[in-house]
Amino acid sequence: MMDTLLTLAKGLPLLALGVAAGATYPPVPVDLTTPVQHRIAINSPTSVRIAWNTYQQLSQPCVQYGTSPSSLGSQSCSTSSITYPTSRTWANVVTINNLTPATTYYYKIVSTNSTLETFTSPRLPGDKTPFNISIVIDLGVYGKDGYTIEQDETKRDLIPSIDPSLNHTTIGRLRDNIDKYDFIVHPGDIGYADDWILKAHNWLDGKDGYQAITETFFNQLAPISARKPYMTSPGNHEAACQEVPLTSALCPSGQKNFTDFINRFGRVLPTAFASTSPDQQAKVNANKARLLANPPFWYSFEYGMAHIVMIDTETDFEDAPDQPGGSAGLNGGPFGSYLRQQLDFLEADLASVDRSVTPWVVVAGHRPWYTTGTSDCQPCKKAFEPLFYKYGVDLGVFGHVHNSQRFAPVVNDTADPNGMENPKAPMYIVAGGAGNVEGLSKVGNNVTTNRFAYDEAFSYATVNFLDEQRLQVDFIKSDTGEILDRSVLFKKHDQRFVVQ
């Protein structure tokens, strides 16, 4: 992909002479306060954040809400309405506090042109009720600026409730299964606005091409992300206006150094939850993690029987690929006040987990270090794998490689001898096959610890927390809903605080 971008970039001055410019922006509504690009996120055990964009700045963004669609008796407001150079819209966010756990709420953004939406409030940490989440990574825009399989324009099917002439099978499946999962985890590569260069109509106006793809993607996702918490962390495609190495300095102001990602999610995502463990040291570690957290790059949250950590595999550790001097040449970050801030956060956060409260620990990031292809991130492995093993992470969730893969529990490239029956090492998955303009990646060479790999069509993963000792991972074929692979991990979770 990188070679393709470089070739295209060198040829643009000549090719552009015969190409008509025209970024495909969504239409601007007559009422500039009309909410677009809706998204919600878990903020604490009893609060969520509602976020949306508008085509003018709001002096006081407000949300009305209640437990009945006919009686929105409560209202929450803020003064958070921000933008950045090159953006046509302002990002607004409101926090809704003091929610009754696991309860259906209805809400309406205050505007003359908004609709009634709904969400379910978070489960309290320690609630052992089974639940399911969707793992969607490397998900891009569809349509004129959007994805195909290996650039085959015929390989699109339909999503009638959005646009019958275009397609995104994974968004369609998320819509069809909306009542089967509680929230979405999307660690990186969101929309693929930096791939504007792959469509000829953008060549004379990359700045607007980037912004048009950004607006369009989040509008396409809104029917899902307005209802289900959308928990993200960064990937390489959030870094700059294009993925050509060492060219980010040429990007317009506003389209470099993760700017849209920061503006869109920085005020929406949580830091780290206060510990509900009776153990005093757990409380101290959780507070330390909260102080070191830096959303939207690294943070954690708890939901029922799960403790979930989102990490940044792009910047803020030694030899990180996207930071200045890194292998990707994208010149992003660093975002911590010192180099090890993210790793110190992760260690404090994992040390705070009381398995009697939240037995399952899941960590999600973008770049994998276990993969059947050649895109394994060795600096990521060096930075993160020792902490994963030391604190008994149960499941590592990654993307970046555009297909689906599952690995046996593994540490230091060696499969855990216990397999899926109470291993000490983490199980790893790659769920990068959701679909984007770059197409799918071939599986590549097999490795001894791989147990499943699929590259024939778009797919994504679900994680079902069955009980305190069993976790089920399914890979789903996006267009049909077929289960491509199912595995169940058994963990005794008989230690309250894991250090190994």
Side-chain angles (χ1 to χ4, degrees), residues 369-372 406-416 428 446-452:
W369 49 90
Y370 290 108
T371 173
T372 59
R406 175 172 62 84
F407 292 82
V410 55
V411 62
N412 294 327
D413 298 296
T414 302
D416 191 298
Y428 289 90
N446 198 4
V447 294
T448 58
T449 55
N450 179 256
R451 297 295 179 265
F452 166 77

PDB file of all heavy atoms in Angstrom, residues 369-372 406-416 428 446-452:
ATOM      1  N   TRP A 369       1.514  -7.549  17.231  1.00  0.00           N
ATOM      2  CA  TRP A 369       2.840  -8.161  17.173  1.00  0.00           C
ATOM      3  C   TRP A 369       2.764  -9.652  16.905  1.00  0.00           C
ATOM      4  O   TRP A 369       3.781 -10.293  16.689  1.00  0.00           O
ATOM      5  CB  TRP A 369       3.670  -7.849  18.402  1.00  0.00           C
ATOM      6  CG  TRP A 369       3.035  -8.069  19.747  1.00  0.00           C
ATOM      7  CD1 TRP A 369       3.054  -9.199  20.501  1.00  0.00           C
ATOM      8  CD2 TRP A 369       2.328  -7.096  20.518  1.00  0.00           C
ATOM      9  NE1 TRP A 369       2.396  -9.008  21.685  1.00  0.00           N
ATOM     10  CE2 TRP A 369       1.940  -7.703  21.728  1.00  0.00           C
ATOM     11  CE3 TRP A 369       1.971  -5.760  20.303  1.00  0.00           C
ATOM     12  CZ2 TRP A 369       1.209  -7.035  22.718  1.00  0.00           C
ATOM     13  CZ3 TRP A 369       1.249  -5.096  21.277  1.00  0.00           C
ATOM     14  CH2 TRP A 369       0.883  -5.736  22.469  1.00  0.00           C
ATOM     15  N   TYR A 370       1.556 -10.199  16.889  1.00  0.00           N
ATOM     16  CA  TYR A 370       1.353 -11.553  16.382  1.00  0.00           C
ATOM     17  C   TYR A 370       0.431 -11.470  15.181  1.00  0.00           C
ATOM     18  O   TYR A 370      -0.721 -11.024  15.288  1.00  0.00           O
ATOM     19  CB  TYR A 370       0.775 -12.468  17.470  1.00  0.00           C
ATOM     20  CG  TYR A 370       1.770 -12.765  18.568  1.00  0.00           C
ATOM     21  CD1 TYR A 370       1.629 -12.201  19.830  1.00  0.00           C
ATOM     22  CD2 TYR A 370       2.880 -13.567  18.318  1.00  0.00           C
ATOM     23  CE1 TYR A 370       2.567 -12.446  20.833  1.00  0.00           C
ATOM     24  CE2 TYR A 370       3.814 -13.817  19.311  1.00  0.00           C
ATOM     25  CZ  TYR A 370       3.659 -13.260  20.563  1.00  0.00           C
ATOM     26  OH  TYR A 370       4.598 -13.507  21.531  1.00  0.00           O
ATOM     27  N   THR A 371       0.926 -11.870  14.008  1.00  0.00           N
ATOM     28  CA  THR A 371       0.152 -11.830  12.777  1.00  0.00           C
ATOM     29  C   THR A 371       0.769 -12.785  11.779  1.00  0.00           C
ATOM     30  O   THR A 371       1.985 -13.054  11.816  1.00  0.00           O
ATOM     31  CB  THR A 371       0.103 -10.402  12.183  1.00  0.00           C
ATOM     32  OG1 THR A 371      -0.537 -10.444  10.902  1.00  0.00           O
ATOM     33  CG2 THR A 371       1.489  -9.811  12.028  1.00  0.00           C
ATOM     34  N   THR A 372      -0.050 -13.304  10.858  1.00  0.00           N
ATOM     35  CA  THR A 372       0.453 -14.219   9.836  1.00  0.00           C
ATOM     36  C   THR A 372       1.172 -13.471   8.720  1.00  0.00           C
ATOM     37  O   THR A 372       1.869 -14.083   7.921  1.00  0.00           O
ATOM     38  CB  THR A 372      -0.692 -15.033   9.218  1.00  0.00           C
ATOM     39  OG1 THR A 372      -1.640 -14.132   8.637  1.00  0.00           O
ATOM     40  CG2 THR A 372      -1.368 -15.893  10.261  1.00  0.00           C
ATOM     41  N   ARG A 406      -6.841 -15.434  14.493  1.00  0.00           N
ATOM     42  CA  ARG A 406      -6.876 -15.787  15.920  1.00  0.00           C
ATOM     43  C   ARG A 406      -5.631 -16.593  16.259  1.00  0.00           C
ATOM     44  O   ARG A 406      -5.241 -17.482  15.489  1.00  0.00           O
ATOM     45  CB  ARG A 406      -8.137 -16.592  16.257  1.00  0.00           C
ATOM     46  CG  ARG A 406      -8.160 -17.097  17.698  1.00  0.00           C
ATOM     47  CD  ARG A 406      -9.501 -17.729  18.050  1.00  0.00           C
ATOM     48  NE  ARG A 406      -9.823 -18.900  17.254  1.00  0.00           N
ATOM     49  CZ  ARG A 406      -9.403 -20.132  17.498  1.00  0.00           C
ATOM     50  NH1 ARG A 406      -8.584 -20.366  18.540  1.00  0.00           N
ATOM     51  NH2 ARG A 406      -9.772 -21.143  16.721  1.00  0.00           N
ATOM     52  N   PHE A 407      -5.060 -16.283  17.408  1.00  0.00           N
ATOM     53  CA  PHE A 407      -3.855 -16.970  17.858  1.00  0.00           C
ATOM     54  C   PHE A 407      -4.098 -17.684  19.179  1.00  0.00           C
ATOM     55  O   PHE A 407      -4.912 -17.244  20.002  1.00  0.00           O
ATOM     56  CB  PHE A 407      -2.700 -15.970  18.012  1.00  0.00           C
ATOM     57  CG  PHE A 407      -2.238 -15.423  16.696  1.00  0.00           C
ATOM     58  CD1 PHE A 407      -2.906 -14.375  16.094  1.00  0.00           C
ATOM     59  CD2 PHE A 407      -1.166 -15.999  16.035  1.00  0.00           C
ATOM     60  CE1 PHE A 407      -2.509 -13.890  14.860  1.00  0.00           C
ATOM     61  CE2 PHE A 407      -0.752 -15.524  14.802  1.00  0.00           C
ATOM     62  CZ  PHE A 407      -1.430 -14.468  14.205  1.00  0.00           C
ATOM     63  N   ALA A 408      -3.385 -18.761  19.369  1.00  0.00           N
ATOM     64  CA  ALA A 408      -3.384 -19.434  20.663  1.00  0.00           C
ATOM     65  C   ALA A 408      -2.811 -18.495  21.710  1.00  0.00           C
ATOM     66  O   ALA A 408      -2.074 -17.561  21.391  1.00  0.00           O
ATOM     67  CB  ALA A 408      -2.531 -20.699  20.584  1.00  0.00           C
ATOM     68  N   PRO A 409      -3.134 -18.703  22.979  1.00  0.00           N
ATOM     69  CA  PRO A 409      -2.433 -17.957  24.020  1.00  0.00           C
ATOM     70  C   PRO A 409      -0.926 -18.124  23.845  1.00  0.00           C
ATOM     71  O   PRO A 409      -0.413 -19.246  23.699  1.00  0.00           O
ATOM     72  CB  PRO A 409      -2.944 -18.600  25.310  1.00  0.00           C
ATOM     73  CG  PRO A 409      -4.324 -19.079  24.949  1.00  0.00           C
ATOM     74  CD  PRO A 409      -4.192 -19.559  23.531  1.00  0.00           C
ATOM     75  N   VAL A 410      -0.199 -16.996  23.847  1.00  0.00           N
ATOM     76  CA  VAL A 410       1.205 -17.034  23.439  1.00  0.00           C
ATOM     77  C   VAL A 410       1.986 -15.941  24.157  1.00  0.00           C
ATOM     78  O   VAL A 410       1.453 -14.858  24.423  1.00  0.00           O
ATOM     79  CB  VAL A 410       1.320 -16.866  21.899  1.00  0.00           C
ATOM     80  CG1 VAL A 410       0.628 -15.601  21.418  1.00  0.00           C
ATOM     81  CG2 VAL A 410       2.763 -16.892  21.430  1.00  0.00           C
ATOM     82  N   VAL A 411       3.229 -16.213  24.457  1.00  0.00           N
ATOM     83  CA  VAL A 411       4.145 -15.216  24.994  1.00  0.00           C
ATOM     84  C   VAL A 411       5.530 -15.524  24.449  1.00  0.00           C
ATOM     85  O   VAL A 411       5.923 -16.693  24.343  1.00  0.00           O
ATOM     86  CB  VAL A 411       4.143 -15.184  26.538  1.00  0.00           C
ATOM     87  CG1 VAL A 411       4.602 -16.501  27.136  1.00  0.00           C
ATOM     88  CG2 VAL A 411       4.975 -14.018  27.054  1.00  0.00           C
ATOM     89  N   ASN A 412       6.250 -14.488  24.029  1.00  0.00           N
ATOM     90  CA  ASN A 412       7.593 -14.650  23.465  1.00  0.00           C
ATOM     91  C   ASN A 412       7.603 -15.670  22.326  1.00  0.00           C
ATOM     92  O   ASN A 412       8.515 -16.498  22.223  1.00  0.00           O
ATOM     93  CB  ASN A 412       8.591 -15.065  24.555  1.00  0.00           C
ATOM     94  CG  ASN A 412       8.786 -13.973  25.585  1.00  0.00           C
ATOM     95  OD1 ASN A 412       8.719 -12.786  25.269  1.00  0.00           O
ATOM     96  ND2 ASN A 412       9.010 -14.373  26.828  1.00  0.00           N
ATOM     97  N   ASP A 413       6.566 -15.618  21.483  1.00  0.00           N
ATOM     98  CA  ASP A 413       6.438 -16.481  20.302  1.00  0.00           C
ATOM     99  C   ASP A 413       6.280 -17.959  20.643  1.00  0.00           C
ATOM    100  O   ASP A 413       6.403 -18.823  19.768  1.00  0.00           O
ATOM    101  CB  ASP A 413       7.638 -16.305  19.362  1.00  0.00           C
ATOM    102  CG  ASP A 413       7.752 -14.897  18.828  1.00  0.00           C
ATOM    103  OD1 ASP A 413       6.837 -14.468  18.105  1.00  0.00           O
ATOM    104  OD2 ASP A 413       8.746 -14.206  19.169  1.00  0.00           O
ATOM    105  N   THR A 414       5.962 -18.269  21.889  1.00  0.00           N
ATOM    106  CA  THR A 414       5.787 -19.658  22.315  1.00  0.00           C
ATOM    107  C   THR A 414       4.370 -19.863  22.819  1.00  0.00           C
ATOM    108  O   THR A 414       3.901 -19.120  23.698  1.00  0.00           O
ATOM    109  CB  THR A 414       6.776 -20.019  23.436  1.00  0.00           C
ATOM    110  OG1 THR A 414       8.109 -19.808  22.957  1.00  0.00           O
ATOM    111  CG2 THR A 414       6.602 -21.462  23.872  1.00  0.00           C
ATOM    112  N   ALA A 415       3.680 -20.833  22.258  1.00  0.00           N
ATOM    113  CA  ALA A 415       2.311 -21.110  22.676  1.00  0.00           C
ATOM    114  C   ALA A 415       2.276 -21.587  24.118  1.00  0.00           C
ATOM    115  O   ALA A 415       3.130 -22.371  24.551  1.00  0.00           O
ATOM    116  CB  ALA A 415       1.683 -22.159  21.757  1.00  0.00           C
ATOM    117  N   ASP A 416       1.305 -21.117  24.862  1.00  0.00           N
ATOM    118  CA  ASP A 416       1.127 -21.562  26.237  1.00  0.00           C
ATOM    119  C   ASP A 416       0.766 -23.047  26.241  1.00  0.00           C
ATOM    120  O   ASP A 416      -0.135 -23.477  25.513  1.00  0.00           O
ATOM    121  CB  ASP A 416       0.010 -20.742  26.897  1.00  0.00           C
ATOM    122  CG  ASP A 416      -0.062 -20.943  28.393  1.00  0.00           C
ATOM    123  OD1 ASP A 416      -0.301 -22.086  28.829  1.00  0.00           O
ATOM    124  OD2 ASP A 416       0.104 -19.949  29.132  1.00  0.00           O
ATOM    125  N   TYR A 428      -4.588 -13.764  21.528  1.00  0.00           N
ATOM    126  CA  TYR A 428      -4.553 -12.596  20.653  1.00  0.00           C
ATOM    127  C   TYR A 428      -5.457 -12.797  19.437  1.00  0.00           C
ATOM    128  O   TYR A 428      -5.542 -13.908  18.897  1.00  0.00           O
ATOM    129  CB  TYR A 428      -3.132 -12.337  20.140  1.00  0.00           C
ATOM    130  CG  TYR A 428      -2.173 -11.822  21.185  1.00  0.00           C
ATOM    131  CD1 TYR A 428      -1.420 -12.708  21.964  1.00  0.00           C
ATOM    132  CD2 TYR A 428      -2.014 -10.460  21.388  1.00  0.00           C
ATOM    133  CE1 TYR A 428      -0.528 -12.239  22.918  1.00  0.00           C
ATOM    134  CE2 TYR A 428      -1.121  -9.979  22.341  1.00  0.00           C
ATOM    135  CZ  TYR A 428      -0.377 -10.871  23.100  1.00  0.00           C
ATOM    136  OH  TYR A 428       0.503 -10.396  24.042  1.00  0.00           O
ATOM    137  N   ASN A 446       1.786 -18.806   7.308  1.00  0.00           N
ATOM    138  CA  ASN A 446       1.248 -19.273   8.579  1.00  0.00           C
ATOM    139  C   ASN A 446       2.356 -19.272   9.638  1.00  0.00           C
ATOM    140  O   ASN A 446       3.534 -19.350   9.330  1.00  0.00           O
ATOM    141  CB  ASN A 446       0.670 -20.675   8.433  1.00  0.00           C
ATOM    142  CG  ASN A 446      -0.267 -21.025   9.567  1.00  0.00           C
ATOM    143  OD1 ASN A 446      -0.551 -20.198  10.434  1.00  0.00           O
ATOM    144  ND2 ASN A 446      -0.749 -22.250   9.573  1.00  0.00           N
ATOM    145  N   VAL A 447       1.949 -19.154  10.882  1.00  0.00           N
ATOM    146  CA  VAL A 447       2.883 -19.262  12.004  1.00  0.00           C
ATOM    147  C   VAL A 447       2.332 -20.310  12.957  1.00  0.00           C
ATOM    148  O   VAL A 447       1.131 -20.576  12.978  1.00  0.00           O
ATOM    149  CB  VAL A 447       3.069 -17.906  12.722  1.00  0.00           C
ATOM    150  CG1 VAL A 447       3.741 -16.903  11.807  1.00  0.00           C
ATOM    151  CG2 VAL A 447       1.739 -17.357  13.225  1.00  0.00           C
ATOM    152  N   THR A 448       3.196 -20.891  13.749  1.00  0.00           N
ATOM    153  CA  THR A 448       2.803 -22.059  14.545  1.00  0.00           C
ATOM    154  C   THR A 448       1.736 -21.733  15.570  1.00  0.00           C
ATOM    155  O   THR A 448       0.974 -22.621  15.975  1.00  0.00           O
ATOM    156  CB  THR A 448       4.022 -22.656  15.253  1.00  0.00           C
ATOM    157  OG1 THR A 448       4.622 -21.658  16.090  1.00  0.00           O
ATOM    158  CG2 THR A 448       5.043 -23.144  14.235  1.00  0.00           C
ATOM    159  N   THR A 449       1.653 -20.477  16.006  1.00  0.00           N
ATOM    160  CA  THR A 449       0.672 -20.140  17.043  1.00  0.00           C
ATOM    161  C   THR A 449      -0.667 -19.690  16.472  1.00  0.00           C
ATOM    162  O   THR A 449      -1.602 -19.449  17.229  1.00  0.00           O
ATOM    163  CB  THR A 449       1.221 -19.039  17.961  1.00  0.00           C
ATOM    164  OG1 THR A 449       1.612 -17.912  17.159  1.00  0.00           O
ATOM    165  CG2 THR A 449       2.417 -19.547  18.761  1.00  0.00           C
ATOM    166  N   ASN A 450      -0.768 -19.592  15.146  1.00  0.00           N
ATOM    167  CA  ASN A 450      -2.036 -19.178  14.540  1.00  0.00           C
ATOM    168  C   ASN A 450      -3.035 -20.326  14.527  1.00  0.00           C
ATOM    169  O   ASN A 450      -2.686 -21.474  14.245  1.00  0.00           O
ATOM    170  CB  ASN A 450      -1.795 -18.679  13.113  1.00  0.00           C
ATOM    171  CG  ASN A 450      -3.096 -18.264  12.432  1.00  0.00           C
ATOM    172  OD1 ASN A 450      -3.615 -18.974  11.587  1.00  0.00           O
ATOM    173  ND2 ASN A 450      -3.616 -17.126  12.837  1.00  0.00           N
ATOM    174  N   ARG A 451      -4.293 -20.002  14.825  1.00  0.00           N
ATOM    175  CA  ARG A 451      -5.342 -21.019  14.861  1.00  0.00           C
ATOM    176  C   ARG A 451      -6.473 -20.746  13.862  1.00  0.00           C
ATOM    177  O   ARG A 451      -7.287 -21.612  13.591  1.00  0.00           O
ATOM    178  CB  ARG A 451      -5.940 -21.118  16.272  1.00  0.00           C
ATOM    179  CG  ARG A 451      -4.924 -21.565  17.327  1.00  0.00           C
ATOM    180  CD  ARG A 451      -4.449 -22.971  17.083  1.00  0.00           C
ATOM    181  NE  ARG A 451      -3.464 -23.410  18.066  1.00  0.00           N
ATOM    182  CZ  ARG A 451      -2.149 -23.345  17.901  1.00  0.00           C
ATOM    183  NH1 ARG A 451      -1.651 -22.864  16.762  1.00  0.00           N
ATOM    184  NH2 ARG A 451      -1.316 -23.769  18.821  1.00  0.00           N
ATOM    185  N   PHE A 452      -6.524 -19.538  13.318  1.00  0.00           N
ATOM    186  CA  PHE A 452      -7.559 -19.191  12.335  1.00  0.00           C
ATOM    187  C   PHE A 452      -7.099 -17.971  11.569  1.00  0.00           C
ATOM    188  O   PHE A 452      -6.542 -17.033  12.153  1.00  0.00           O
ATOM    189  CB  PHE A 452      -8.893 -18.896  13.041  1.00  0.00           C
ATOM    190  CG  PHE A 452      -9.914 -18.209  12.159  1.00  0.00           C
ATOM    191  CD1 PHE A 452     -10.616 -18.926  11.204  1.00  0.00           C
ATOM    192  CD2 PHE A 452     -10.152 -16.842  12.281  1.00  0.00           C
ATOM    193  CE1 PHE A 452     -11.546 -18.284  10.382  1.00  0.00           C
ATOM    194  CE2 PHE A 452     -11.077 -16.202  11.478  1.00  0.00           C
ATOM    195  CZ  PHE A 452     -11.780 -16.930  10.525  1.00  0.00           C
TER     196      PHE A 452
END
